[in-house]
Amino acid sequence: MSGFLKWVLLGYFAAPLCVFAQIEVTSPFVHEKRYVLPSGKKVELTLQERRCRNGECREVDAGMWGMDGGIPRFVTETFLVRINGKPFPIPEKLYKDLTNMHSASVIEDKERIILELKGGDGAGAYTARFELGGMCGFERKICGEVCGEIWEHTTWYNSFAYEGDPLCKSGIQ
């Protein structure tokens, strides 16, 4: 086979692979699911991202999870949690910095409900764990794709926000 023909055939088969490698996720992450945990608790989780509006998202170096510089493709718009039918409020400021999500799950560990969200890729990959304690508050831990080291740890306790629960007088239950 001639050298020219080899190059033509190589180009014919390699070009689609190059195009395929450049394809990015083009739709925002949406997760609406009901979970029944081993304890019998029922958790409803609704997560919705949306595309950045024109001029809304600017280039980030830090301050947004799921990015290693650049402009986020998507931002978290909705993060709703219900436990046994009762809303569990999570302040917007504790989820608005999560971008480019690709998975969500809910598990139970020692009577705590853990929401685990994963997003980003490469150097911008993260795992966000929301450890819900009672109905009084929660902890948010951010780490890499594989959680070997905690990068950020936030404890949110606000008895005013959770005043409907009589056990919310002494911190996270």
Side-chain angles (χ1 to χ4, degrees), residues 73-117:
R73 294 182 310 266
F74 310 112
V75 292
T76 305
E77 170 127 296
T78 305
F79 186 10
L80 301 173
V81 179
R82 295 180 74 79
I83 300 172
N84 292 329
K86 184 176 178 183
F88 190 99
I90 295 185
E92 185 176 288
K93 69 181 181 179
L94 292 172
Y95 65 81
K96 281 294 189 181
D97 61 347
L98 304 176
T99 65
N100 303 326
M101 280 189 251
H102 54 74
S103 71
S105 62
V106 176
I107 59 171
E108 191 171 32
D109 183 31
K110 298 178 186 163
E111 297 185 25
R112 292 189 94 181
I113 296 170
I114 299 172
L115 311 176
E116 187 171 271
L117 315 175

Side-chain angles (χ1 to χ4, degrees), residues 10 13 28 36 38 49 51 58 87 90 116 124 146 158-160 170:
L10 180 62
F13 289 107
V36 178
E49 286 186 321
R51 291 187 190 287
R58 52 187 199 271
I90 295 185
E116 187 171 271
V146 177
N158 186 338
S159 60
F160 176 75
S170 62

Side-chain angles (χ1 to χ4, degrees), residues 111-147:
E111 297 185 25
R112 292 189 94 181
I113 296 170
I114 299 172
L115 311 176
E116 187 171 271
L117 315 175
K118 290 185 177 279
D121 60 0
Y126 70 91
T127 299
R129 285 189 176 146
F130 289 80
E131 298 177 6
L132 312 183
M135 291 300 279
C136 301
F138 62 89
E139 293 178 88
R140 177 181 103 152
K141 296 177 183 174
I142 307 283
C143 53
E145 196 169 13
V146 177
C147 280

